[in-house]
Amino acid sequence: MISPTQTAELDCYLRVMAHVFGGDTTHPESITWDTVPDIMPARLRDACGDFADGDIGDVCADSDRNRRTYYSFCLALIEQILKQDGWRLSRIDNTRIEPGTFGLSSAKGMDRSQPDTAVAVFGPPGGRQRLFFFFSDQDPTILADAAIKINENDNDRFEDLAVMITLSTRDMQARREASRSTAWKRGLFMAFDQLCERSAETYPDLCLPIENMFRDSVLSKPAPVEPARDKIASFRARILDHIVVGDKDSPYRKLRFEAPELAGIVPLQFIMSATRPRASAGGVREFSWQAFKTSFRDAPATYLKRPFGIHRAFHKGFPADYLTRLRLPRHVATILHPVRPDTFEVFFKVLPTGKGTREMQDLKKDMMIDMIGPLGQPFKLAKLIDQDIGEVHVIGGGVGMAPLVYLVQALRFCSVPVKAFIGIESLDHLRYRLRHEQHDLEDEPLARIHAAEGKDIHIYVDDLLQTGVERNNIYVSYDKTGDIRDIVPPANHMQGPISDLYRRSLTRHPFDKPVVAFTCGPPPMMQAIHEITRHVGIRLYVLMEKRMACGIGVCLSCVCRTTSGRSGYSRVCKEGPVFDANEIIWHEQENSPL
Amino acid sequence: MNKKTVRSELAVKLKQVSLATPLLTASGTSGTSDEINDLENSPQIIDALGAFVTKGVTLEARSGNREMRVVETRTGLLNSIGLQNSGAAVFVREELPRLANYNLPIIVNISAGQVDEFGRLSEFLMEHDHDEAIAGIEINVSCPNICAGGVAFGVDPRTVEKAVRAACQPLRRDVFSLTKMTPNVTDISEPAKGAIAGGTDGLSMINTLRGMAINVHTGSYYLGNKTGGLSGPAIKPVGIQMVHECYRTIPECRRGTVPIIGIGGIATWEDALEYIMAGATAVGIGTAWFVNPNVFVEIKTGLETYCRKHSTTITQKIGSVHEI
Ligand SMILES: Cc1cc2nc3c(=O)[nH]c(=O)nc-3n(C[C@H](O)[C@H](O)[C@H](O)COP(=O)(O)OP(=O)(O)OC[C@H]3O[C@@H](n4cnc5c(N)ncnc54)[C@H](O)[C@@H]3O)c2cc1C
Ligand SMILES: Cc1cc2nc3c(=O)[nH]c(=O)nc-3n(C[C@H](O)[C@H](O)[C@H](O)COP(=O)(O)O)c2cc1C
Ligand code: FES
């Protein structure tokens, strides 16, 4: 005989499955014992025998109830995950969920009178931040309205957040589209399959089978065709701003551009960009001496695109410094997604003998530039964060710090503690000022403040502060002294190589929890960092830079000697640009001037 | 094998194989397996292609040349990749099956250091191509980056003839052969005649021109290998002339029994048509596609528009400049 609790649980599984499988189209009658036991926790399997096939269909006939059960099921999973971060379920609207089903005993006795669309509210211990969960199959306009209302009440405090739970990752991707995110400003997204996957770690008995079921069925069902976002796109980006960073002789530039095509780019992936607007195509033209002369003088010196890392990414509705206020529970954060970014920045250095980067000095607002991306292997950040690391170190030399800032942005989203080590020639190179007359400051609240107060901005330092890294976790080393006092604490800066500063900062090891480091810069610097991390047991990832022609893995010009690559070489543009430092055959890296 | 049987103004024939379009990838510029599938517009790219030519395959794996393998020059690219590849065994086992996904005729570019090695390589490919995925081979007698002594043996008509004969001998009946000619010669028609005597079904021209670049800021060579092969728009007029020369002086080319694949510096549909008018039946595009991943699609559209506007076909335009 099965107990009443068991009956209720079985009932719940059947309904969730009916909802996930069926939606409105298929018939719950088709669900039989052949499929059901797959999703049952082991402890319930024996009890299944008491149900006959016919009963199952009966149980699932009420699709409205199935849906509500699915909602409560999701919330139960979320509750399980959040518990690990010490968050608790503080209020629930019972009109939308099914009371009495498993996992939601806490819902009992809640106020049933508020017909809110907000389904559940969670709060951290002692904190004020709350997450409101919505489900994607509810009326989309109600959801958008609710999210907007939350925003309005909250201003830019980021204490209340709307989270939409979608039935599948694909569904979520479609809703996260940059173009659609205006209706769901500042909202976050979560997909049911990812939720199951995450819960499986805390609640294996409950979720693993569901995850498998989901993989095999729902995800493989033909869904509305959505362009696969991680494929490499070739597109034209609009330049939004070109900012000179540093004093007037500084070679550093920041280029801000609009490219919804890069919405799916993962930190540390890169793009290849033309260095001038595309010349009109054409064959041989009729000869004119004048044209011949100008064509020689103006003949473009560059032919290939140039590789650049992404320095920062911007989301509509999310101000640039939102991470300083957003405190997400870490265990949920890895499966939470903000709206897709559509605006990006690259930070680059004009090389004294560089043909392409010198051309790029002439890029201006509203020019359209050919680009391809996202390029390179997407680094599996979620996997890294799952490993419960204590902290992440990023060590960047010169422009090498630029892509690491975007990485930090992502790490901070998941509340990972970060220490940043910046190696530069002179701080004067990194100081700049934005003026309202010249630049669009809308996305730069800090820049707005700085400009109003007539203060300088420091690239990297202020960017990192904007992502919520604390000032005393930012370290700077430089070749030439400059005015550095008030930017980072005195103990955090020194003259000399960045590797010395890094070594000096690692006083406390062994570490309680694993530490992971990322570095990007000149190869000798990265090798020196590897020497250090090797000795103290820090796992190090390096971003390699090699000359590229195609960027898509077909020409074999960007190869790097590794232990993992075929014929002893890996393509930086395809297998890279991120490599485990232990894979790199350092003594065979040719330090020929690039 | 070709599963597309499109009848259109763009269709051309290479021996018994009909190609949906006259556009081919140039060897070494389109990857070792199915990299194109990682591009968002891969369906359009594959649709624009008439055949896929692989990276150069050698009997044994080669790790290629030392670093600094490419340097950009004005409107061109110098490369010294050095035929990095995993060798024929890995090619047939891992790469070929994935290339078959393109659903295009696959032409395998083969390279060797000696005449009899061409024979063994060709034989190996035939023996291991169980699914008969290979539609043709392209015998590279011209790679400037690997040959001992620095002289590619593609310059000597007699050696070319022997290499081609060795490579063609083991081929299945339905597999055609192309010979990739080097432009680093005084008269291209001489080695071309050698290749025809050796039994080639078609000619591909041109491979890269030998070149060098010196970095004046450091005072040393740019390329690790010092010299490399020049490709890109810079070499197009050379390629046009050589295709023209072969078409003009070799009767088999003129009659169309030995078709020419025109390669070198093609970046627009006009460039492609220029080669066709000079005598090419199809064209290969390499370097341009590093710069513009849409190049195949753009060229296909351009040629289509041209043909419709002038009520003509590519086949009618082959060698049309010679009629004047
Ligand atoms: C994955 C990746 C990410 C990068 N991210 C950034 C970035 O965020 N900011 C930044 O300032 N620079 C970055 N670089 C380096 C940047 O690509 C070069 O500084 C730039 O290509 C120089 O071009 P140029 O025409 O001015 O130099 P030239 O010397 O005139 O260029 C000649 C050729 O060499 C190549 N080349 C020259 N220097 C380098 C180099 N250091 N690395 C790779 N190729 C080079 C060029 O691309 C070009 O093909 C990155 C490189 C790679 C591979
Ligand atoms: C990076 C690179 C690699 C190449 N590898 C090969 C090769 O393996 N075998 C071959 O026959 N030709 C090879 N080539 C030559 C091209 O196939 C082509 O003949 C040449 O680049 C001229 O065409 P393009 O100007 O359109 O690039 C290579 C060219 C480049 C740029
Ligand atoms: S740049 Fe062509 S393979 Fe990497």
Side-chain angles (χ1 to χ4, degrees):
Chain A
M1 254 326 277
I2 59 173
S3 71
T5 350
Q6 281 176 320
T7 316
E9 276 190 68
L10 274 171
D11 190 87
C12 171
Y13 275 104
L14 293 174
R15 290 181 188 287
V16 169
M17 205 173 73
H19 182 71
V20 169
F21 268 128
D24 297 329
T25 47
T26 42
H27 303 287
E29 305 90 78
S30 60
I31 304 167
T32 68
W33 283 130
D34 290 342
T35 47
V36 173
D38 286 336
I39 68 157
M40 286 295 163
R43 74 194 141 78
L44 280 181
R45 275 197 203 137
D46 294 339
C48 295
D50 288 11
F51 270 91
D53 272 2
D55 300 339
I56 306 172
D58 291 346
V59 170
C60 304
D62 182 348
S63 64
D64 196 43
R65 214 168 141 199
N66 295 347
R67 186 173 63 239
R68 282 177 291 145
T69 310
Y70 160 76
Y71 294 168
S72 70
F73 186 77
C74 289
L75 292 174
L77 299 185
I78 292 166
E79 191 183 20
Q80 289 301 322
I81 305 171
L82 282 171
K83 256 193 212 158
Q84 300 173 77
D85 293 310
W87 286 48
R88 73 200 147 75
L89 186 71
S90 66
R91 202 199 68 170
I92 199 155
D93 171 16
N94 274 350
T95 58
R96 289 246 158 200
I97 57 169
E98 196 65 1
T101 46
F102 79 102
L104 276 180
S105 48
S106 54
K108 277 197 190 122
M110 295 260 165
D111 179 11
R112 278 168 165 273
S113 61
Q114 291 182 17
D116 272 326
T117 43
V119 183
V121 185
F122 290 86
R128 288 204 46 213
Q129 192 161 293
R130 290 161 304 183
L131 307 178
F132 297 80
F133 292 91
F134 303 89
F135 296 88
S136 63
D137 54 358
Q138 290 171 329
D139 181 349
T141 55
I142 298 180
L143 297 185
D145 285 351
I148 288 167
K149 213 171 281 167
I150 290 173
N151 272 4
E152 282 168 358
N153 291 334
D154 184 55
N155 287 319
D156 271 348
R157 293 196 304 270
F158 278 85
E159 282 176 349
D160 293 342
L161 288 166
V163 181
M164 187 191 287
I165 304 182
T166 60
L167 207 55
S168 67
T169 302
R170 241 192 259 184
D171 184 19
M172 179 194 70
Q173 278 167 351
R175 280 165 194 274
R176 280 179 73 215
E177 284 292 311
S179 53
R180 295 192 209 178
S181 57
T182 35
W184 182 260
K185 264 209 188 95
R186 248 179 54 190
L188 301 173
F189 299 82
M190 192 191 289
F192 179 59
D193 48 347
Q194 293 180 8
L195 184 60
C196 285
E197 211 168 307
R198 177 48 42 90
S199 324
E201 291 147 23
T202 43
Y203 218 3
D205 190 33
L206 170 80
C207 293
L208 263 176
I210 295 232
E211 180 204 330
N212 293 338
M213 159 195 101
F214 212 82
R215 280 259 160 68
D216 299 343
S217 57
V218 178
L219 291 186
S220 54
K221 255 198 224 167
V225 188
E226 210 232 325
R229 285 330 218 103
D230 46 0
K231 291 224 165 177
I232 301 165
S234 102
F235 55 92
R236 252 171 223 203
R238 177 185 302 280
I239 305 289
L240 298 176
D241 210 345
H242 179 152
I243 299 160
V244 179
V245 174
D247 47 26
K248 69 176 188 324
D249 305 322
S250 159
Y252 294 104
R253 299 282 189 281
K254 205 153 85 140
L255 213 54
R256 186 190 283 248
F257 58 92
E258 190 176 48
E261 294 85 351
L262 289 179
I265 198 163
V266 170
L268 306 185
Q269 281 189 302
F270 64 100
I271 56 159
M272 286 194 60
S273 170
T275 51
R276 60 195 150 81
R278 203 206 284 201
S280 54
V284 180
R285 271 176 229 97
E286 216 170 294
F287 183 82
S288 101
W289 185 236
Q290 194 53 41
F292 186 67
K293 275 198 297 189
T294 37
S295 79
F296 259 86
R297 206 181 45 239
D298 298 343
T302 61
Y303 184 57
L304 301 170
K305 294 188 173 71
R306 302 298 196 252
F308 293 100
I310 294 291
H311 174 41
R312 302 200 301 174
F314 301 89
H315 310 256
K316 273 203 186 79
F318 285 81
D321 61 342
Y322 75 97
L323 286 171
T324 53
R325 278 154 293 163
L326 186 68
R327 293 268 181 275
L328 288 172
R330 188 147 149 200
H331 286 92
V332 158
T334 42
I335 49 166
L336 276 182
H337 307 264
V339 294
R340 286 177 171 276
D342 58 358
T343 301
F344 301 86
E345 275 177 6
V346 297
F347 181 57
F348 70 97
K349 184 180 184 178
V350 179
L351 305 182
T353 60
K355 286 171 273 167
T357 49
R358 271 193 319 204
E359 278 183 352
M360 285 169 73
Q361 295 181 92
D362 296 331
L363 294 180
K364 291 194 181 59
K365 187 169 165 32
D366 288 332
M367 281 181 174
M368 302 296 287
I369 303 296
D370 284 344
M371 292 185 182
I372 57 170
L375 303 173
Q377 231 17 266
F379 186 79
K380 301 218 166 40
L381 263 185
K383 219 167 162 188
L384 180 80
I385 290 160
D386 280 355
Q387 292 160 7
D388 196 28
I389 31 179
E391 60 185 27
V392 168
H393 298 162
V394 294
I395 307 116
V399 284
M401 191 68 207
L404 297 176
V405 169
Y406 186 28
L407 172 74
V408 172
Q409 203 177 331
L411 291 169
R412 292 297 311 149
F413 185 79
C414 297
S415 312
V416 176
V418 172
K419 276 196 184 135
F421 299 83
I422 306 164
I424 47 164
E425 288 157 50
S426 150
L427 207 65
D428 297 333
H429 283 159
L430 302 185
R431 198 173 279 146
Y432 65 109
R433 195 170 282 194
L434 296 177
R435 288 175 220 289
H436 290 285
E437 319 85 69
Q438 288 164 7
H439 303 287
D440 184 2
L441 305 184
E442 208 190 308
D443 275 322
E444 288 272 25
L446 285 185
R448 228 156 35 211
I449 300 162
H450 284 240
E453 296 177 359
K455 277 203 292 189
D456 291 328
I457 305 171
H458 293 92
I459 195 153
Y460 296 159
V461 177
D462 280 312
D463 295 327
L464 291 164
L465 291 171
Q466 273 192 345
T467 65
V469 178
E470 280 161 30
R471 205 178 281 274
N472 55 17
N473 284 330
I474 302 176
Y475 297 76
V476 181
S477 86
Y478 41 83
D479 297 340
K480 284 182 249 155
T481 41
D483 186 13
I484 196 160
R485 274 159 304 155
D486 50 344
I487 300 161
V488 295
N492 285 14
H493 62 82
M494 68 166 243
Q495 189 169 10
I498 180 78
S499 44
D500 287 359
L501 178 64
Y502 184 55
R503 186 183 292 113
R504 213 178 68 181
S505 81
L506 294 177
T507 44
R508 299 177 292 107
H509 59 82
F511 309 96
D512 308 338
K513 283 184 176 180
V515 171
V516 175
F518 292 83
T519 186
C520 179
M525 176 207 117
M526 297 199 284
Q527 191 176 359
I529 300 290
H530 186 221
E531 281 303 307
I532 300 169
T533 53
R534 233 160 34 106
H535 282 107
V536 298
I538 291 177
R539 190 148 95 245
L540 179 69
Y541 291 100
V542 294
L543 265 92
M544 299 305 288
E545 269 184 23
K546 294 284 171 182
R547 272 184 189 243
M548 296 188 173
C550 70
I552 55 176
V554 300
C555 74
L556 304 183
S557 53
C558 63
V559 294
C560 165
R561 295 283 285 130
T562 60
T563 53
S564 54
R566 272 198 178 174
S567 339
Y569 282 114
S570 298
R571 293 165 296 182
V572 170
C573 74
K574 201 75 189 170
E575 284 83 39
V578 188
F579 295 92
D580 188 321
N582 292 325
E583 284 174 23
I584 305 288
I585 305 175
W586 289 103
H587 63 276
E588 288 184 36
Q589 298 304 310
E590 310 203 9
N591 290 320
S592 48
L594 269 166
Chain B
M1 292 303 293
N2 188 11
K3 277 141 200 144
K4 287 194 270 186
T5 42
V6 192
R7 288 261 144 256
S8 82
E9 52 274 72
L10 297 190
V12 293
K13 264 195 130 156
L14 274 190
K15 282 280 158 173
Q16 62 276 54
V17 179
S18 50
L19 310 182
T21 79
L23 309 183
L24 275 60
T25 56
S27 172
T29 59
S30 40
T32 43
S33 65
D34 52 357
E35 283 88 353
I36 294 177
N37 279 337
D38 290 342
L39 302 178
E40 198 174 68
N41 60 348
S42 58
Q44 292 91 313
I45 295 174
I46 291 161
D47 183 57
L49 287 174
F52 183 91
V53 183
T54 70
K55 163 114 201 81
V57 175
T58 52
L59 204 49
E60 305 297 333
R62 286 179 57 95
S63 57
N65 286 331
R66 49 188 299 211
E67 265 177 53
M68 287 299 277
R69 291 175 165 191
V70 285
V71 56
E72 178 195 60
T73 63
R74 218 170 261 250
T75 71
L77 182 73
L78 262 181
N79 87 78
S80 64
I81 308 295
L83 280 174
Q84 179 186 331
N85 78 99
S86 314
V90 176
F91 173 77
V92 288
R93 196 173 59 235
E94 291 169 29
E95 293 162 8
L96 189 57
R98 292 171 71 179
L99 289 173
N101 292 338
Y102 288 145
N103 232 351
L104 288 167
I106 304 297
I107 301 171
V108 182
N109 181 280
I110 61 171
S111 257
Q114 277 142 13
V115 166
D116 57 337
E117 201 180 320
F118 271 112
R120 277 182 283 139
L121 176 51
S122 186
E123 195 178 327
F124 183 91
L125 289 175
M126 289 303 113
E127 268 173 24
H128 293 84
D129 178 22
H130 306 299
D131 299 333
E132 308 207 342
I134 298 175
I137 59 159
E138 184 176 61
I139 308 154
N140 180 8
V141 292
S142 55
C143 183
N145 290 326
I146 61 158
C147 295
V151 189
F153 54 71
V155 300
D156 173 25
R158 299 249 305 281
T159 323
V160 172
E161 179 181 338
K162 281 189 215 148
V164 171
R165 180 165 298 127
C168 289
Q169 196 268 328
L171 295 185
R172 279 197 322 265
R173 270 276 196 70
D174 59 333
V175 174
F176 63 85
S177 59
L178 301 170
T179 305
K180 179 95 171 247
M181 310 305 296
T182 173
N184 300 311
V185 292
T186 322
D187 179 358
I188 186 113
S189 67
E190 290 303 317
K193 285 173 192 154
I196 293 169
T200 194
D201 295 323
L203 299 168
S204 303
M205 60 184 72
I206 53 177
N207 207 314
T208 52
L209 284 151
R210 270 160 77 83
M212 180 184 280
I214 295 165
N215 185 339
V216 296
H217 305 290
T218 62
S220 68
Y221 306 98
Y222 265 113
L223 294 176
N225 194 40
K226 297 181 188 170
T227 68
L230 181 66
S231 62
I235 70 167
K236 194 189 71 181
V238 178
I240 298 283
Q241 189 275 338
M242 291 187 165
V243 169
H244 184 277
E245 184 67 7
C246 287
Y247 193 90
R248 190 177 70 83
T249 59
I250 304 176
E252 291 89 339
C253 294
R254 188 102 190 205
R255 283 200 306 268
T257 47
V258 176
I260 303 172
I261 315 292
I263 309 168
I266 298 173
T268 65
W269 69 265
E270 289 100 324
D271 297 338
L273 192 59
E274 212 177 325
Y275 268 102
I276 291 163
M277 288 179 170
T281 296
V283 295
I285 299 149
T287 308
W289 115 280
F290 298 165
V291 180
N292 174 13
N294 278 326
V295 71
F296 289 107
V297 183
E298 285 172 14
I299 292 180
K300 182 194 172 213
T301 314
L303 289 178
E304 242 162 25
T305 314
Y306 174 88
C307 287
R308 296 211 174 122
K309 197 164 143 201
H310 296 87
S311 313
T312 182
T313 65
I314 294 298
T315 312
Q316 283 173 25
K317 286 286 156 194
I318 298 169
S320 66
V321 76
H322 298 268
E323 290 153 19
I324 300 166

